[in-house]
Amino acid sequence: MTDSPAAPSAPSSSDSRPVAVVTGASSGIGAATARTLAAQGYHVVLGARRVDRVAALAAEIGGTGRQLDVTDEDSVTAFVDGLDTVSVLVNNAGGAKGLDPVATADLDDWRWMWETNVIGTLRVTKALLPALEASGDGLIVTITSIAALEAYDNGAGYTSAKHAQGVLHRTLRFELLGKPIRLTEIAPGMVETDFSLVRFDGDQERADAVYQGLTPMVADDVAEVIGFVASRPPHVNLDLIVLKPRDQASARRNVKTG
Ligand code: NAP
């Protein structure tokens, strides 16, 4: 944290930098991506529910921090206000709740995962499509997961939500053909962030155990790939990038499980 002045609540009209919007930028992959894109010359608009965190990071990287709850229509409407031209949208807000078999599934956990990962991505993407098109070279990056590509025991709430989020994103790739908007799905395996802490409802010991005995990726590993995607020329569309730690071969197999 620096002692930079507070970030503005909107990009100023005299700021000639292209605008990049990152959802879920208060921690983990979203925060790292905001830093990477800012270093590449973007004015980054950061959104998350913990507005103090996005405001602090925005001040540090010369961006804009705004409160955002992707599950709330009014919040999304307020978040996109004044964003008329957007070059990059990173749909990152999301996560998992619980690790239960279908037989004992917690419906509230499922609703949280579907509302955040699926409907949240839909809401923000819909709201920013005109601004992405208006940029003349828009890019939508959606952070799904290897859970969008395979199923695993006790994970159906998350894997089904990530599959749905992936299909939403892949459908847009077809529907936007002919428009100046590129679409990239990023599907990471294990990344050490607050992801497991959120999944296990704040149980630090259980979260730490996920990453013990192997070397997971860190948020910067994913952010660097997003920076690479955003720096390709307009005619090149990286459709799907799957990245995993060397120690993980699939959602179900890693060096610990054998
Ligand atoms: P994280 O550190 O827990 O970050 C999740 C981010 O999502 C936070 O900034 C959180 O901010 C935000 N968020 C959650 N609910 C939100 C809501 N309703 N509205 C707005 N923002 C919301 O976890 P992460 O690993 O960086 O996760 C980022 C993305 O990567 C997620 O989509 C996750 O599913 C995906 N992913 C993670 C992994 C992994 O192993 N870590 C692997 C594959 C994919 P607030 O709480 O402040 O709102």
Side-chain angles (χ1 to χ4, degrees):
M1 192 84 45
T2 69
D3 55 0
S4 324
S9 60
S12 102
S13 53
S14 61
D15 188 338
S16 60
R17 291 175 295 169
V19 171
V21 173
V22 180
T23 70
S26 60
S27 70
I29 294 168
T33 300
R35 286 181 199 281
T36 297
L37 293 177
Q40 285 182 198
Y42 289 92
H43 180 118
V44 183
V45 179
L46 303 88
R49 294 166 304 176
R50 287 171 292 178
V51 69
D52 51 329
R53 287 193 179 212
V54 286
L57 181 50
E60 197 184 317
I61 63 174
T64 299
R66 289 182 176 180
Q67 188 145 36
L68 170 67
D69 181 348
V70 298
T71 69
D72 180 327
E73 190 72 32
D74 292 342
S75 173
V76 172
T77 303
F79 177 74
V80 303
D81 185 48
L83 300 179
D84 300 327
T85 307
V86 170
S87 297
V88 179
L89 165 63
V90 183
N91 284 313
N92 167 76
K97 287 269 187 198
L99 195 59
D100 297 313
V102 172
T104 56
D106 182 319
L107 296 192
D108 286 337
D109 284 350
W110 274 62
R111 278 191 200 97
W112 187 94
M113 290 186 270
W114 276 75
E115 278 289 343
T116 309
N117 294 286
V118 189
I119 312 288
T121 296
L122 174 62
R123 269 203 192 91
V124 176
T125 305
K126 260 184 84 175
L128 287 176
L129 272 180
L132 285 154
E133 190 171 353
S135 76
D137 178 26
L139 168 67
I140 300 172
V141 176
T142 303
I143 314 301
T144 62
S145 168
I146 56 171
L149 307 172
E150 54 178 309
Y152 58 85
D153 291 18
N154 308 328
Y158 185 59
T159 57
S160 64
K162 284 299 191 186
H163 274 71
Q165 184 192 28
V167 172
L168 155 65
H169 172 96
R170 289 166 225 153
T171 303
L172 260 183
R173 175 81 171 99
F174 294 114
E175 291 178 355
L176 297 180
L177 203 57
K179 292 195 188 285
I181 300 179
R182 290 178 281 159
L183 284 115
T184 301
E185 176 179 352
I186 306 272
M190 218 181 265
V191 189
E192 188 164 5
T193 61
D194 287 346
F195 175 86
S196 294
L197 197 62
V198 172
R199 169 169 245 175
F200 300 130
D201 209 15
D203 184 337
Q204 188 71 60
E205 214 173 306
R206 199 172 170 201
D208 289 345
V210 172
Y211 309 109
Q212 270 156 19
L214 52 72
T215 305
M217 295 186 289
V218 295
D220 278 336
D221 295 325
V222 183
E224 277 175 19
V225 171
I226 296 169
F228 176 76
V229 169
S231 59
R232 293 311 87 206
H235 67 287
V236 177
N237 196 101
L238 292 166
D239 279 34
L240 168 65
I241 300 177
V242 183
L243 59 161
K244 288 178 258 186
R246 186 181 61 195
D247 285 352
Q248 182 183 34
S250 78
R252 279 171 300 199
R253 290 196 62 191
N254 59 53
V255 288
K256 290 195 287 184
T257 60

